[in-house]
């Protein structure tokens, strides 16, 4: 009997299919596991054999991909690219570049490269570690002192000073407060820390610290309120007997507000120059001119006096101080200040007159000499005949003779000629002229060569002795110490005029030469209308003149020596004496 296949139920058929599928999956899993194991083994082998001098495929340094780079390539990149990237510093809308090498920063190439290529055995045995994303930052070498110095210089160059608040003026008067502005300085420590933490070539915002102004709006507003209180009301100034009202607007124009940064304060002062200028405008109101006193002096005696009277004037300095003091006092309905007046002493005016007497001439000489340094002038006056009037000042004072000495050389020369000891036509050694010619030029043009040669030839000791023999004891020619006084020279001229020094012919000859001498700016110039026979002497600061003056009403000897004042002073004295004698 043949068995027939019996069809199963649907449920039975599903179980069979499921079992078949399960067996297929099991066979596939077995084969897949074998493949995965092989793949896993291959991965581990690749990781173990991965070159030590290469970075892993997904390594980056400072966000730059350096995967599978050799250490030499990475080193070159760090040296040539990374190390030359400038830091970009952003501040107040500006960008500034700082090269790392310029501020003491360089890349530690070896350390950075070693870290980027470091792949340990433990990591190599870790599945898929070869494909791990590893990020490294460049290692830096820093000269901290150099970096600090460069950053400080950068900070100093970009510091912004604060602007103080100020006061605005309108029509010369403070009217409102103008706000100040903040200043800024770079926060150098914070900037340095940021640069040390950031990668080379990073863009950094520069940290800043705000600096407040020294003079703030509040300070100036307080000052503004204070001076408005001080000057908001007028001031009454007592100007002598007249009160003057100073308007508030004028007072306010005198205010000076001065910020003092060192003390963080505002000073209120006042424009004293402007105050004084304003006061000067009122000075004429109180000015009273002094009335001078007058003294009438005849010769050396006061004959009458007319009394003077002091004047007065505004003392601008003290008055300005009084105004400032009033401004600084607490407010009052009307501030009061008193102007200060100062006396103006009267002067004394002398009206001088001189009598035509010895006393009068003496007064003329005394008043003339009072203009000059004591001892710098001397004078001798002696009338010839007439009233025998005389006067003198410092007539025994010794002076360098200058060319006055030539009178005594000529006197001795005439003495030798008259006694037959000297020939007028003989040659004067060293002068190249005859004795007669030398006498001419010695007096008329005050030549120096002839009298000096005559003195050397005749002997200075002999000239000195002859002068003393004739009574001129204050005159000296020893060792070229040529000195004399006005008394000796006046005596010389008096004796010359009287004919007692030499014979009549020689006397007339010498007087003629003196009348013709060419230097006429002293006594001759001051004796207009008179005949003057004189001899001058000038050397350096010395200016002398010795003369016989034949004026309309008197003949007299006048000898004047000066050391400094000069020919003009002698001329003035001669003119005053002539006027006194001929009035």
């Amino acid at each position: 009997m043949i068995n027939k296949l019996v069809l199963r139920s649907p449920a039975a058929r599903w179980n069979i299919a499921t079992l078949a599928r399960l067996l297929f999956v099991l066979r596939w899993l077995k084969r897949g596991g074998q493949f995965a194991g092989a793949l896993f083994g291959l991965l581990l082998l690749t990781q173990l054999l991965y070159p030590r001098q290469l970075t892993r495929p997904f390594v980056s340094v400072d966000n730059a991909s350096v995967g599978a780079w050799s250490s030499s390539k990475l080193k070159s990149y760090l040296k040539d690219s990374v190390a030359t990237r400038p830091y970009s510093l952003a501040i107040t809308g500006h960008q500034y570049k700082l090269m790392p090498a310029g501020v003491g920063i360089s890349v530690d190439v070896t350390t950075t490269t070693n870290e980027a290529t470091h792949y340990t055995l433990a990591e190599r045995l870790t599945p898929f570690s070869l494909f791990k994303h590893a990020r490294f930052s460049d290692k830096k070498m820093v000269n901290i002192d150099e970096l600090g110095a460069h950053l400080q210089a950068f900070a100093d160059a970009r510091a912004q000073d604060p602007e103080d608040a100020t006061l605005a003026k309108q029509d010369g008067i403070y009217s409102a407060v103008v706000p100040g502005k903040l200043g800024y300085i770079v926060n150098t420590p914070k900037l340095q820390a940021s640069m040390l933490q950031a990668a080379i070539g990073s863009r950094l915002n520069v940290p800043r610290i705000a600096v407040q102004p020294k003079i703030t709006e509040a300070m100036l507003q307080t000052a503004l309120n204070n001076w408005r209180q001080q000057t908001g009301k007028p001031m009454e100034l007592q100007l002598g007997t007249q009160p003057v009202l100073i308007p508030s607007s004028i007072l306010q124009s005198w205010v000076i507000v001065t910020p003092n940064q060192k003390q963080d304060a505002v000073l209120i002062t006042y424009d004293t120059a402007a105050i004084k200028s304003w006061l000067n405008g009122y000075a004429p109101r109180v000015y009273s001119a002094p009335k001078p006193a007058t003294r009438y002096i005849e010769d050396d005696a006061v004959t009458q006096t007319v009394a003077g009277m002091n004047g007065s004037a505004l003392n601008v300095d003290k008055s300005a101080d009084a105004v400032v003091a009033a401004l600084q006092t607490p407010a009052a309905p009307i501030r009061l200040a008193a102007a200060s007046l100062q006396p103006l002493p009267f002067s004394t005016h002398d009206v001088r007159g001189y009598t035509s007497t010895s006393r009068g001439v003496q007064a003329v000489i005394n008043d003339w000499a009072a203009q000059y340094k004591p001892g710098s002038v001397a004078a001798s006056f002696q009338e010839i005949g007439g009233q025998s009037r005389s006067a003198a000042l410092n007539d025994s004072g010794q002076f360098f003779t200058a060319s006055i000495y030539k009178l005594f050389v000529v006197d001795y020369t005439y003495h030798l000629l008259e006694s037959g000891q000297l020939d007028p036509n003989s040659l004067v050694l060293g002068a190249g002229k005859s004795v007669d010619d030398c006498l001419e030029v010695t007096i008329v043009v005050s030549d120096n060569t002839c009298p000096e040669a005559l003195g050397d030839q005749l002997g200075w000791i002999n000239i000195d002795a002859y002068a003393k023999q004739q009574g001129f004891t204050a005159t000296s020619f020893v060792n070229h110490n040529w000195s004399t006084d006005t008394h000796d020279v006046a005596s010389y001229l008096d004796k010359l005029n009287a004919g007692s020094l030499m014979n009549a012919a020689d006397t007339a000859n010498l007087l003629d030469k003196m009348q013709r001498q060419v230097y006429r700016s002293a006594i001759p110039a001051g004796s207009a209308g008179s005949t003057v026979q004189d001899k001058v002497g000038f050397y350096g600061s010395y200016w002398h003149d010795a003369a016989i003056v034949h004026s309309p009403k008197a003949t007299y000897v006048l000898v004047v020596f000066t050391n400094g004042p000069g020919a003009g002073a002698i001329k003035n004295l001669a003119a005053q004496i002539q006027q006194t004698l001929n009035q």
Side-chain angles (χ1 to χ4, degrees):
M1 180 173 176
I2 300 173
N3 291 329
K4 295 182 178 180
L5 180 63
V6 180
L7 294 176
R8 295 179 175 88
S9 65
R13 287 196 301 269
W14 182 89
N15 289 334
I16 293 170
T18 299
L19 182 60
R21 289 189 201 99
L22 180 62
L23 291 173
F24 176 80
V25 167
L26 290 174
R27 284 195 299 270
W28 183 88
L29 286 175
K30 179 178 179 181
R31 292 173 183 168
Q34 292 173 346
F35 177 77
L39 183 62
F40 182 76
L42 180 62
L43 175 63
L44 290 180
L45 181 61
T46 301
Q47 291 185 169
L48 287 172
L49 297 177
Y50 193 80
R52 293 182 178 275
Q53 300 302 317
L54 288 182
T55 60
R56 283 172 280 180
F58 300 102
V59 169
S60 63
V61 175
D62 289 336
N63 297 322
S65 177
V66 295
W69 282 20
S70 67
S71 60
S72 60
K73 180 179 179 180
L74 180 58
K75 286 181 179 181
S76 176
Y77 167 74
L78 292 173
K79 288 179 182 178
D80 300 334
S81 180
V82 175
T84 58
R85 292 174 187 169
Y87 288 96
S88 179
L89 304 184
I91 179 171
T92 61
H94 298 280
Q95 298 287 331
Y96 300 94
K97 303 294 184 180
L98 293 183
M99 297 304 296
V103 294
I105 297 177
S106 59
V107 178
D108 188 342
V109 174
T110 300
T111 301
T112 304
T113 302
N114 289 342
E115 285 191 358
T117 56
H118 188 59
Y119 193 14
T120 64
L121 179 61
E123 288 178 309
R124 291 172 184 269
L125 293 174
T126 301
F128 304 105
S129 64
L130 182 64
F131 306 101
K132 179 181 178 182
H133 289 267
R135 292 182 175 85
F136 297 95
S137 60
D138 56 84
K139 302 301 179 183
K140 292 185 283 291
M141 293 187 293
V142 181
N143 184 328
I144 200 67
D145 292 335
E146 185 177 352
L147 175 61
H150 281 288
L151 291 184
Q152 188 60 55
F154 174 85
D156 292 342
R158 282 145 192 91
Q160 295 179 2
D161 292 332
E163 294 183 16
D164 290 337
T166 58
L167 285 174
K169 277 189 173 183
Q170 184 174 2
D171 298 328
I173 299 173
Y174 294 113
S175 57
V177 177
V178 179
K181 294 182 181 179
L182 290 174
Y184 294 93
I185 58 173
V186 174
N187 189 331
T188 309
K190 193 171 181 180
L191 175 60
Q192 179 172 304
S194 297
M195 290 186 69
L196 292 176
Q197 292 173 3
I200 291 176
S202 297
R203 184 182 185 278
L204 302 174
N205 288 320
V206 178
R208 297 192 300 167
I209 302 172
V211 181
Q212 295 289 336
K214 292 284 188 180
I215 306 301
T216 65
E217 296 175 51
M219 294 165 65
L220 286 182
Q221 190 61 56
T222 299
L224 188 63
N225 295 338
N226 287 344
W227 72 253
R228 280 176 174 167
Q229 183 180 11
Q230 289 178 310
T231 60
K233 298 174 182 177
M235 177 184 294
E236 184 178 287
L237 176 67
Q238 191 65 32
L239 195 67
T241 60
Q242 310 170 47
V244 175
L245 198 66
I246 308 176
S248 177
S249 60
I250 297 295
L251 298 177
Q252 290 177 352
S253 71
W254 292 342
V255 175
I256 298 176
V257 177
T258 307
N260 187 330
Q261 289 190 338
K262 291 184 178 179
Q263 299 179 3
D264 294 341
V266 176
L267 305 178
I268 298 176
T269 56
Y270 300 93
D271 188 346
T272 54
I275 296 172
K276 291 177 183 179
S277 177
W278 183 88
L279 288 168
N280 279 326
Y282 285 85
R285 292 192 182 189
V286 294
Y287 176 77
S288 173
K291 179 183 177 183
T294 303
R295 295 191 311 169
Y296 294 91
I297 303 173
E298 187 174 79
D299 296 342
D300 56 359
V302 177
T303 59
Q304 183 184 356
T305 300
V306 177
M309 182 179 296
N310 286 337
S312 63
L314 181 66
N315 188 323
V316 175
D317 290 341
K318 289 186 177 180
S319 298
D321 292 341
V323 170
V324 171
L327 285 168
Q328 293 172 338
T329 58
I334 295 181
R335 298 175 186 273
L336 300 177
S340 179
L341 302 182
Q342 62 185 13
L344 298 177
F346 65 84
S347 59
T348 300
H349 172 62
D350 290 340
V351 178
R352 295 187 176 274
Y354 304 98
T355 61
S356 57
T357 63
S358 293
R359 181 177 175 182
V361 176
Q362 186 65 57
V364 168
I365 294 174
N366 291 344
D367 291 342
W368 169 80
Q371 306 172 69
Y372 307 113
K373 184 178 178 182
S376 66
V377 296
S380 290
F381 165 81
Q382 179 62 56
E383 185 181 12
I384 299 172
Q387 303 174 38
S388 298
R389 292 166 288 193
S390 64
L393 175 83
N394 192 28
D395 60 336
S396 61
Q398 288 286 300
F399 281 75
F400 173 63
T401 64
S403 289
I404 296 296
Y405 83 91
K406 297 168 185 177
L407 290 173
F408 297 94
V409 173
V410 168
D411 180 35
Y412 184 61
T413 303
Y414 276 121
H415 164 68
L416 296 180
L417 290 171
E418 291 174 6
S419 63
Q421 300 178 59
L422 189 63
D423 184 348
N425 298 314
S426 61
L427 187 67
V428 178
L429 300 177
K433 289 183 174 64
S434 67
V435 172
D436 229 6
D437 289 341
C438 269
L439 290 173
E440 171 74 12
V441 297
T442 294
I443 299 301
V444 175
V445 298
S446 198
D447 176 72
N448 291 322
T449 304
C450 268
E452 290 178 10
L454 274 170
D456 292 339
Q457 184 171 320
L458 303 179
W460 294 104
I461 293 178
N462 296 329
I463 296 171
D464 182 84
Y466 186 70
K468 289 182 172 54
Q469 180 183 330
Q470 293 188 298
F472 310 129
T473 55
T475 301
S476 175
F477 300 106
V478 177
N479 298 325
H480 285 259
N481 180 27
W482 300 342
S483 61
T484 188
D485 60 20
T486 60
H487 179 273
D488 266 13
V489 178
S491 177
Y492 178 102
L493 295 180
D494 188 34
K495 291 180 178 181
L496 174 64
N497 184 77
S500 60
L501 284 185
M502 55 195 74
N503 62 40
D506 290 340
T507 298
N509 186 282
L510 177 54
L511 289 173
D512 174 65
K513 289 178 173 59
M514 292 171 65
Q515 188 171 333
R516 290 186 293 109
Q517 75 88 16
V518 298
Y519 298 102
R520 316 297 290 175
S521 61
I523 293 177
S527 306
S530 300
T531 299
V532 180
Q533 300 154 333
D534 70 317
K535 179 68 188 80
V536 299
F538 49 86
Y539 182 85
S541 61
Y542 293 96
W543 232 105
H544 310 325
D545 203 352
I548 301 171
V549 181
H550 303 274
S551 70
K553 293 187 178 181
T555 297
Y556 53 91
V557 169
L558 178 60
V559 179
V560 187
F561 286 179
T562 71
N563 181 5
I570 299 173
K571 171 188 173 182
N572 292 339
L573 177 58
Q576 291 180 56
I577 290 176
Q578 175 166 274
Q579 181 182 2
T580 299
L581 294 176
N582 291 281
Q583 61 187 327

